[in-house]
Amino acid sequence: MEEAKKTLTLPITGMTCANCVAAVERNLNKLDGVQSANVNLASERASVDFDPTKVDQKDIIARIKRTGYDIALGEADFVLKRLGDVSDARRLEEALLVTDGVVGASANLASERVRVQYIPTVVSQSDLRKVIRNAGFEALKTSDRVEDVERAAREKEINHQKRLLIVGLIFTIPLFLLSMARDFGLLPAGLADANWLPWLMFTLATPVQFYVGWQYYDGAYKALRNKSANMDVLIAMGSSAAYFYSIPVMLGLIDGHVYFETSAVIITLIVLGKFLEARAKGRTSEAIRKLLGLQARTARIVRDGQEVDIPIEEVDVGDIVVVRPGEKFPVDGVVIEGKTSVDESMLTGESLPQEKGPGDPVVGATVNKLGRIKFEALKIGKDTALAQIIRLVEDAQGSKAPIQRLADQVSSIFVPVVIGIAFATFLAWYFLAPPPTGDISNFTRALINTVAVLVIACPCAMGLATPTAVMVGTGRGANMGILFKSSAALERAGSLTTVILDKTGTITRGQPTVTDIIVNGWDGGESDLLKLVASAERGSEHPLGEAVVEAALAQDIPLDEPDGFKAIAGHGIVASVGKREVVIGSPKLLAERGMGLNGLDGEIERLRSQAKTVIAVAIDGKPAGILGIADTVKDGSVEAIEALHDMGLEVVMITGDNLQTAQAIGSLVGLHSQDSQGNSLIRAEVLPAEKAEVVRDLQSQGKVVAMVGDGINDAPALAQADVGIAIGTGTDVAIAAAPITLLSGDLRGVPRAITLSRRTLRTIKQNLFWALIYNVLLIPSAALGFLNPMFAAGAMAFSSIFVVTNSLRLRGVKLT
């Protein structure tokens, strides 16, 4: 029997390095019923898959808190109507407490309010309002502002680090200046040897050590309690060694210098680093906040014949919503009245407004440009396209890229190894090194070098190297209509060698269009011929016939009803329009009926060489002309294929069309006909079921293959490819099962996605190289006595900042 599965995403506070991530994952995985736990340091979220029959939300949260970390909870106050007595209050509390994501609920009968503590990644305030309404009560509107709980938690952390930094600077700067003046003989005679000077230094250092630095003692205790060691352990050990060594010196119990300034500077510099890092990390999630900011706050709906404004969370499926020019669509739906053009660029990246009329779908967060329209709400809340996009981006940002495994493996043993190196450093300097010169003792020298080793080591940079780049990269993509389903897809797309393009609907529009009308042997003009042919084709269901009808309607040509209609299977039709007999079909059909083409053979060959289908027309038994119909190439396809070639990628086109048509389209868009081994890059007459075989064939040649298709008909090939790219899904992202989804139908999104992936992968490699080389070079330097502990602390603080700011550079990457 298959295990039940449920997924819980939790915003975690208090994590500082990769060891914290490992501790949370390890402890969650120990819970009976937890199937997998994946924690991301950059987004500060845990994604937990569990069996709800064995473990619940409370158990998972309790385990995280026991590990030493906390959950960022939202708190909402609702003013109620119809709260009559104590039993009502109890019933409401019970209804809320059984809701997923609610951790506490307290209803107050006297004030007619209910206060709810909830997990913002699981349940929203609009969901809570619905629970209250379904319980038989009404939650009155209190504010248009919906709190971003995770952002508030991060802001709180930034402000906390800022306060600690200010306190640290107030005490550390005078302490540092006093110490330097003493060491360089700048103090007045007698002051340098004054008995009270070490006590003054002690007084200045103690608040820094135990107020500013208390977070590191607390973190170290929690880590050790969980049988692990993290960055906090290293900082606490390093700063404490300098601080507590100085106390017996100050008391005259041992000879030597006091190093209170060293402990204070270590802690203050690291807090400065944490403050700057927290600020930078906050900017890595700007893409999500930008998407959240697109949502309308209110909706104008028709109730009892009146237009009323209500909060967006109160819109129900089936409501009639009114949108004026310049306003945002609040939810997804379908137009029932009016015509307009809609700017969808904020979601799809399409720059041109889309025309909308009755029966056309509209998407929440897009902008109504011109007319006043009414539409029926079909998708609300978590079902809207915007909510799906946000959820996809969050899932991708929370996933782990394969390249992160190296950092995780190193981080798991990093701190114990560093402590071992520090211990070896002390022993080597104390027992093996030549005696020091000057007034420094052997013990003091060994201790200082040991402290330098402890504080120079930085596991944080390794923990942040991959997730920060993934967060910024996926966010940048989302803002351009490129959705990565996982960080693995983002990484894999950076190593592609071959891109397969499906012709119909990917390179071409997938909609036959009349491109040429050539009149020959008939007295009428082009529009007269088009009118007769379109009128005759009104009864046809063939795509080519529909293309002719659409061409006539686009020119506002009035059509007549055909009096008679007869289809000739595989060849064409014969119809009567007015008093004229119209024969429409292939040139072969007219030839079989004894009607020549009046010397149009050359034009027919020209059209066919351009991948166009030729329709010949005869009126009243005489040839009248020909029509060229083509599935036209999309705007941007030529530029996209050229960009892919410029990137060094091999481009293959597959189609079910005949080889002549495929080669004609290939030459139009600049495809190469063969690769360096002479293999054809234009695969024609490929059935849908055979497309996956083409992918396998290329993979068997050692190529890393991307398949670009429509996401539905090409599903087997998309699944077989190393990277599947679904293009032109619009905002219906739920149907796109490919690892990468392009909301726009513009093929130029493919090279943009690959460029973004390559730049993100390059950034990850830069970050990992920096994190590893930093530790590989500077830990031995510290062990050999080349680094002062205060410089070591500064370098350690800088390493994490470098990784985060390097990832933030992806926000400005040009994807042209």
Side-chain angles (χ1 to χ4, degrees), residues 73-74 79 84 111 124 140 173 237 242 261 423 498 661 778:
L73 296 178
V79 179
S111 62
S124 66
L140 299 179
I173 289 174
M237 288 178 66
E261 82 286 352
F423 184 64
T498 303
T661 301
L778 293 189

Side-chain angles (χ1 to χ4, degrees), residues 78 80-81 83 85-99 102 105-108 112-116 128-129 131-139:
F78 297 103
L80 304 172
K81 287 178 70 175
L83 191 68
D85 54 27
V86 175
S87 62
D88 278 349
R90 186 168 58 249
R91 180 163 57 86
L92 177 59
E93 287 176 354
E94 290 171 353
L96 287 165
L97 288 171
V98 296
T99 303
V102 173
S106 175
N108 189 306
E112 293 187 299
R113 285 176 178 265
V114 63
R115 174 168 291 182
V116 185
L128 297 176
R129 287 179 182 275
V131 172
I132 293 170
R133 195 188 317 157
N134 292 337
F137 307 97
E138 183 180 349

Side-chain angles (χ1 to χ4, degrees), residues 8 520 648:
L8 182 65
N520 189 19

Side-chain angles (χ1 to χ4, degrees), residues 11 51 86 101 148 167 169 192 272 276 289 411 421 462 472 495 515 528 536-537 555 590 669 685 711 794:
D51 182 350
V86 175
D148 184 343
V167 173
L169 290 172
L272 171 63
L276 296 175
R289 290 201 293 273
S411 297
I421 293 172
M462 282 186 288
V472 180
S495 55
T515 57
D528 298 322
E537 292 280 11
Q555 297 182 27
L590 267 65
V669 297
E685 299 177 10

Side-chain angles (χ1 to χ4, degrees), residues 265-266 268-270 272-273 455-456 774 788-801:
V265 169
I266 287 172
T268 302
L269 282 176
I270 290 171
L272 171 63
V455 298
I456 194 68
Y774 162 88
N788 180 283
M790 290 185 285
F791 171 80
M796 184 269 203
F798 171 76
S799 64
S800 295
I801 298 168

